[in-house]
């Protein structure tokens, strides 16, 4: 039997020995020198896989939910068509990580998911590209358990990306932890603010005023089990009979935000929900329209309605806002956590069967039910469905995508289900219990076909001309917005600015700034023409240009 000793020294070189003398003593000495646990592991000499092979060793450190503990990781990837063995050179990655258990209910199953962070020898974050995905230090290793097809997450993210929205990229891998074979995992990009992840401005602790205060924020609706992500809900009038939405500060975490930053994004969400809940919510300027990026909301619905995720519009639901100067609206996404989608659930009837809408289900975010009651939004949803069902959201494309994923994972799937003997056994919350992997995939395809057929029957043919639904304008912006104080304006226009007029929703003029020239400071201090502070509420700022064109921005003045 061949033994392999992996040393976590500075050069991180793999060393092979046919005969080792005192390997434990040698490992201990290296551990002391480097301040990290040495890696000593024996792998089966005959193990091989056509998937990238990931080997994690934690030494004496346990893997717990929090905090992440130090470990070493090797990724062996010899390329397409080549087999990977534990003794092969770790060409993809060989270095330090910290590792912890990921998830909530999924963290309780025998095959635990993991969150990892890549580090250098000094413990600093290290951005590295993995398996063709852009460089980063934060990654998630999802452990398919109740989803015995092992493709539901990857398929949902693929469909999200086909819509032009950012969704996590994924790679199937096989994993060993401390010499123990753990089976097939899905290496996934973690949701975070970054150009190659959620492409919004990075909000820093010093961004306390002006445009920098307005973004970027990633929020989510989710289970409130982690105090690092404190939850809050908006105050004010809400729709009768509807549950309030509790929002979590995700990135940055709420514990990392300054009070003024928390106040800004809370005010923005409150203003959006006030407009959405008002009697004039369909109004182009007074309603919800100026607050949201319609396409991202529609696209989020397209994926969620197709897969009928039992947690859709309720848990693991993300939304984000960039700086106002870049995009002043709230956008839905990214997609996350779909192992209980596509009918893989037995406790919520509407999620089990092909017929029925999820957005109109009980105990969901009321946003989408309210939006779909506006003909402009529902027409946008209808048009988008007919557009994408002709290309990607149809059984031909989706079956081909599933087949390509199965072709990648099928050999490793046999080893996975030999390790975890759950095929043919009920695993919470399976609706269907297949006896073979092929049956599992066939059932998944049939469920999707039935769902697509139902949606095609329910969504009227044709695409009406959608008019008046506000979208993002890049010609002018105001920041911060909402604001309890001054609003600063900037614009990008070929003609000079002639006049700024502030009006209340009734059309009454509140303030006029004119004439404006290059030497003037372009801002509104929140005061009316009579010198008294304007009342909290919505206002319209219209910018008139010398060439006769104009643009209007909705302002939200808050009381704090």
């Amino acid at each position: 039997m061949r033994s392999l000793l992996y040393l976590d020294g500075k050069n991180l070189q793999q060393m092979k020995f046919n005969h080792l003398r005192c390997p434990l003593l040698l490992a201990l000495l290296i551990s002391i020198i480097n301040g990290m646990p040495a890696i000593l592991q024996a792998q089966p000499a005959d193990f091989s896989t056509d998937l990238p092979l990931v080997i994690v060793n934690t030494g004496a450190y346990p893997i717990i939910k929090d905090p992440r503990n130090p470990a070493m990781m090797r990724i062996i990837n010899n390329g397409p068509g080549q087999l990977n063995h534990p003794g092969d050179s770790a060409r993809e990655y060989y270095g330090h990580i910290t590792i912890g258990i990921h998830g909530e209910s999924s963290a309780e199953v025998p095959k635990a998911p993991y969150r990892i962070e890549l580090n250098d020898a000094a413990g600093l974050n290290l951005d590295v590209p993995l398996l063709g995905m852009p460089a980063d230090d934060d990654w998630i290793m999802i452990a398919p358990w109740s989803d015995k097809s092992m493709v539901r997450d990857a398929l949902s993210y693929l469909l999200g990306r086909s819509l032009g929205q950012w969704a996590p990229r994924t790679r199937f891998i096989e994993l060993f932890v401390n010499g123990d074979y753990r089976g097939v995992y899905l290496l996934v990009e973690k949701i975070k603010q970054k150009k190659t992840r959620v492409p919004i401005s990075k909000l820093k602790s010093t961004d306390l005023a002006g445009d920098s205060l307005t973004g970027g924020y990633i929020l989510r609706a989710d289970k409130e089990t982690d105090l690092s992500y404190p939850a809050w809900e908006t105050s004010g009038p809400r729709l009768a009979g509807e549950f309030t939405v509790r929002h979590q500060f995700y990135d940055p975490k709420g514990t990392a935000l300054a009070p003024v930053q928390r106040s800004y994004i809370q005010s923005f969400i409150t203003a959006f929900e006030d407009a959405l809940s008002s009697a004039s919510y369909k109004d182009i300027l007074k309603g919800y329209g100026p607050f949201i990026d319609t396409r991202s909301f529609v696209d989020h619905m397209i994926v969620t309605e197709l897969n009928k995720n039992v947690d859709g519009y309720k848990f693991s639901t993300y939304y984000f806002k960039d700086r106002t100067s870049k995009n002043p609206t709230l956008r839905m996404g990214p997609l996350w956590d779909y192992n209980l989608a596509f009918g893989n659930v037995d406790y919520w009837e509407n999620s089990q069967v092909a017929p029925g809408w999820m957005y109109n289900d009980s105990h969901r975010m009321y946003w989408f039910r309210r939006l779909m009651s506006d003909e402009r939004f529902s027409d946008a949803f209808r048009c988008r469905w007919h557009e994408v069902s002709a290309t990607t959201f149809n059984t031909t494309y989706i079956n081909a995508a599933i087949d390509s994923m199965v072709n990648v994972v099928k050999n490793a799937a046999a080893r996975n289900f030999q390790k975890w003997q759950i095929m043919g056994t009920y695993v919470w919350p399976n609706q269907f219990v297949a006896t073979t992997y092929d049956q599992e995939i066939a059932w998944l395809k049939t469920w999707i076909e039935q769902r697509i057929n139902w949606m095609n029957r329910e969504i009227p043919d044709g695409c009406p001309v959608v008019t008046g639904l506000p979208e993002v304008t890049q010609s002018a912006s105001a920041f911060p917005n909402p604001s309890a104080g001054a609003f600063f304006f900037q614009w990008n226009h070929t003609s000079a600015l002639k006049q700024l007029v502030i009006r209340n929703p009734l059309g009454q003029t509140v303030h006029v700034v004119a004439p404006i020239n290059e030497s003037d400071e372009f801002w509104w201090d929140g005061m009316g023409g009579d010198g008294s502070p304007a009342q909290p509420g919505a206002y319209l700022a219209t910018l008139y240009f010398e060439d006769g064109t104009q643009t209007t921005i909705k302002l939200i003045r808050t009381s704090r």
Side-chain angles (χ1 to χ4, degrees):
M1 177 178 179
R2 180 178 63 176
S3 294
L4 302 176
L5 180 67
Y6 302 118
L7 308 180
D8 56 346
K10 291 183 179 180
N11 295 325
L12 299 178
Q13 304 233 340
Q14 175 184 340
M15 301 179 65
K16 298 182 181 180
F17 299 89
N18 292 325
H19 301 285
L20 290 175
R21 296 181 179 179
C22 302
L24 290 175
L25 177 60
L26 179 60
L28 178 61
L29 289 174
I30 293 172
S31 174
I32 294 173
I33 291 172
N34 292 308
M36 279 282 296
I39 297 176
L40 179 64
Q41 92 173 10
Q43 301 289 356
D46 59 348
F47 184 90
S48 63
T49 175
D50 51 1
L51 291 182
L53 179 59
V54 178
I55 300 172
V56 172
N57 287 268
T58 67
Y61 290 102
I63 302 180
I64 58 177
K65 187 171 179 63
D66 191 57
R68 292 190 305 265
N69 279 326
M72 294 292 290
M73 183 174 74
R74 306 173 65 241
I75 301 181
I76 301 163
N77 181 30
N78 292 322
Q82 302 298 312
L83 294 178
N84 301 302
H85 310 82
D88 295 343
S89 177
R91 304 182 184 190
E92 190 76 27
Y93 184 81
Y94 186 11
H96 297 260
I97 65 170
T98 56
I99 184 169
I101 294 176
H102 169 75
E104 298 301 334
S105 58
S106 61
E108 304 300 323
V109 304
K111 185 183 178 183
Y114 303 108
R115 54 195 177 103
I116 62 173
E117 185 177 83
L118 311 184
N119 307 122
D120 62 17
L124 300 177
N125 293 355
L126 185 66
D127 285 354
V128 176
L130 298 183
L131 304 176
M133 295 181 284
D136 205 280
D137 62 317
D138 289 313
W139 303 85
I140 306 294
M141 290 192 287
I142 298 297
W145 180 251
S146 67
D147 174 20
K148 297 170 193 170
S149 77
M150 299 190 285
V151 304
R152 282 176 167 86
D153 270 318
L155 177 61
S156 296
Y157 302 151
L158 173 66
L159 291 172
R161 292 195 299 275
S162 77
L163 296 173
Q165 306 292 345
W166 186 87
R169 286 163 281 239
T170 64
R171 298 291 186 272
F172 288 105
I173 62 172
E174 283 190 272
L175 177 66
F176 280 87
V177 176
N178 295 329
D180 177 36
Y181 176 69
R182 303 295 293 170
V184 174
Y185 277 67
L186 192 66
L187 184 65
V188 183
E189 295 176 298
K190 180 185 177 184
I191 294 174
K192 64 188 296 187
Q193 300 170 326
K194 195 170 186 178
K195 185 177 181 180
T196 54
R197 299 281 176 96
V198 182
I200 57 176
S201 302
K202 181 73 174 179
L203 185 72
K204 302 185 292 292
S205 61
T206 54
D207 293 331
L208 304 177
D211 187 46
S212 64
L213 173 64
T214 65
Y217 300 87
I218 303 178
L219 307 174
R220 72 177 179 185
D222 205 354
K223 299 173 184 176
E224 298 175 31
T225 56
D226 190 337
L227 296 180
S228 298
Y229 305 105
W232 52 276
E233 63 185 43
T234 60
S235 59
R238 291 292 164 263
L239 295 174
E242 294 285 5
F243 289 89
T244 56
V245 180
R246 290 186 59 78
H247 313 275
Q248 292 180 339
F249 304 104
Y250 179 75
D251 188 20
K253 295 180 180 180
T255 52
L257 289 172
V260 67
Q261 293 170 330
R262 290 196 297 271
S263 178
Y264 168 78
I265 193 61
Q266 286 176 319
S267 295
F268 182 90
I269 296 296
T270 297
F272 160 58
E273 291 197 330
D274 283 345
L276 185 64
S277 302
S278 71
S280 57
Y281 73 104
K282 295 181 181 181
D283 187 274
I284 295 174
L285 291 176
K286 300 178 186 178
Y288 68 86
F291 288 95
I292 71 168
D293 178 80
T294 303
R295 173 57 61 84
S296 71
F297 274 69
V298 167
D299 285 352
H300 184 86
M301 285 191 65
I302 292 286
V303 176
T304 305
E305 290 302 330
L306 173 68
N307 66 32
K308 298 197 79 177
N309 178 24
V310 71
D311 292 337
Y313 313 120
K314 182 168 64 172
F315 300 138
S316 298
T317 300
Y318 291 79
Y319 33 104
F320 60 95
K321 184 188 179 298
D322 204 349
R323 288 184 179 176
T324 296
S325 60
K326 294 184 177 180
N327 190 323
T329 62
L330 185 70
R331 286 179 279 175
M332 285 301 302
L335 302 171
W336 190 254
D337 193 5
Y338 291 95
N339 60 316
L340 301 186
F342 299 109
N344 186 33
V345 64
D346 66 350
Y347 63 87
W348 195 266
E349 184 178 358
N350 190 33
S351 289
Q352 298 178 45
V353 298
W357 294 113
M358 288 300 293
Y359 76 84
N360 207 27
D361 204 0
S362 59
H363 299 86
R364 312 284 161 180
M365 297 171 71
Y366 71 90
W367 291 1
F368 299 90
R369 184 159 44 249
R370 183 70 160 172
L371 290 169
M372 287 294 282
S373 69
D374 179 11
E375 294 78 9
R376 290 190 182 92
F377 187 92
S378 61
D379 284 345
F381 175 82
R382 183 207 311 189
C383 292
R384 185 64 164 155
W385 171 255
H386 286 296
E387 174 190 352
V388 300
S389 63
T391 54
T392 54
F393 280 70
N394 56 66
T395 54
T396 300
Y397 177 88
I398 293 176
N399 285 346
I402 292 173
D403 288 341
S404 68
M405 294 177 187
V406 170
N407 187 56
V408 168
V409 79
K410 63 182 179 181
N411 293 331
R415 287 186 293 272
N416 180 86
F417 293 116
Q418 185 177 13
K419 165 70 176 182
W420 308 107
Q421 311 238 335
I422 57 175
M423 187 61 72
T425 302
Y426 172 82
V427 173
W428 182 90
N430 294 158
Q431 175 188 174
F432 172 73
V433 179
T435 57
T436 68
Y437 186 62
D438 287 343
Q439 287 180 2
E440 184 72 35
I441 297 302
W443 189 90
L444 172 64
K445 288 181 176 179
T446 299
W447 192 96
I448 292 174
E449 181 180 10
Q450 292 172 349
R451 178 60 178 165
I452 289 176
N453 290 341
W454 184 87
M455 291 181 68
N456 283 333
R457 290 193 300 269
E458 291 296 312
I459 300 175
D461 291 333
C463 181
V465 178
V466 180
T467 60
L469 191 64
E471 291 291 353
V472 178
T473 174
Q474 299 294 340
S475 61
S477 61
F479 58 89
N481 188 16
S483 174
F487 294 85
F488 292 81
F489 296 86
Q490 62 183 32
W491 64 96
N492 180 17
H493 201 279
T494 56
S495 179
L497 187 64
K498 180 180 180 181
Q499 188 180 59
L500 166 70
V501 178
I502 309 293
R503 297 183 177 91
N504 63 26
L506 299 178
Q508 299 167 332
T509 299
V510 175
H511 192 65
V512 177
V513 181
I516 295 173
N517 54 54
E518 294 181 358
S519 63
D520 286 332
E521 189 172 18
F522 189 54
W523 60 290
W524 176 45
D525 60 4
M527 306 297 285
D530 60 359
S532 61
Q535 294 297 311
Y539 293 85
L540 303 177
T542 302
L543 290 75
Y544 296 90
F545 297 94
E546 292 286 358
D547 62 0
T549 61
Q550 66 186 59
T551 186
T552 299
I553 306 169
K554 185 171 184 176
L555 309 178
I556 303 298
R557 180 162 169 77
T558 64
S559 58
R560 61 182 189 277

